[in-house]
């Protein structure tokens, strides 16, 4: 099956230090895949869109391996919670809370995300 390219002028924005920062066009995000975005302070965010169209944004840095790779992880759900599994050591991070599902002492930053024209 071939997906038709989505055409929209909507931008994805993250709330950074109490102001909205535009990171990419909505049509860059394919459902179930992530993209990385460079933030003003040099950090990276991993942005995801699920098949229902819900957007999520978390820190892109894997706290276990130290590499900025979470945007390349596999997405799925566990007990109704959307997650991304790190491509390095496969730890799963809840996309809503940032909590590691495999080690409750570890979490990543979650960013508020919205679309804007």
């Amino acid at each position: 099956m071939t997906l038709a390219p989505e055409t929209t002028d909507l931008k994805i924005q993250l709330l950074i230090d109490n102001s909205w920062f535009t990171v990419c066009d909505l049509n860059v995000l394919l459902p179930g895949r992530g993209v990385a975005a460079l933030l003003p302070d040099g950090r990276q965010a991993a942005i995801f869109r699920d098949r229902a169209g819900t957007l999520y944004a978390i820190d892109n840095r894997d706290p276990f391996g130290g590499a900025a790779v979470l945007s390349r992880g596999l997405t799925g759900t566990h007990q109704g919670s959307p997650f991304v599994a790190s491509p390095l050591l496969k730890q799963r991070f809840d996309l809503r809370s940032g909590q590691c599902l495999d080690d409750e002492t570890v979490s990543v930053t979650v960013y508020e995300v919205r679309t804007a024209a």
Side-chain angles (χ1 to χ4, degrees):
M1 176 170 94
T2 303
L3 295 175
E6 182 176 349
T7 56
T8 179
D9 291 331
L10 292 177
K11 308 288 184 194
I12 296 174
Q13 296 182 328
L14 303 183
L15 188 61
I16 308 290
D17 296 328
N18 296 318
S19 63
W20 291 100
F21 178 72
T22 300
V23 292
C24 66
D25 293 338
L26 179 61
N27 60 4
V28 171
L29 283 179
L30 298 175
R33 302 274 177 109
V35 298
L38 185 62
L39 303 179
D41 64 2
R43 288 180 295 153
Q44 293 181 23
I47 304 147
F48 300 90
R49 182 165 117 179
D50 67 15
R51 297 194 192 307
T54 305
L55 298 172
Y56 305 97
I58 62 172
D59 189 52
N60 195 34
R61 185 179 170 279
D62 179 338
F64 293 95
V69 296
L70 291 181
S71 63
R72 295 176 180 230
L74 298 174
T75 59
T77 57
H78 176 71
Q79 297 179 347
S81 295
F83 71 83
V84 62
S86 171
L88 295 179
L89 300 173
K90 310 302 185 244
Q91 284 88 358
R92 299 166 300 157
F93 296 90
D94 187 305
L95 291 172
R96 295 179 297 193
S97 68
Q99 182 65 50
C100 179
L101 301 176
D102 304 299
D103 184 341
E104 64 186 30
T105 65
V106 178
S107 64
V108 294
T109 302
V110 174
Y111 299 97
E112 188 174 341
V113 60
R114 73 175 186 184
T115 57

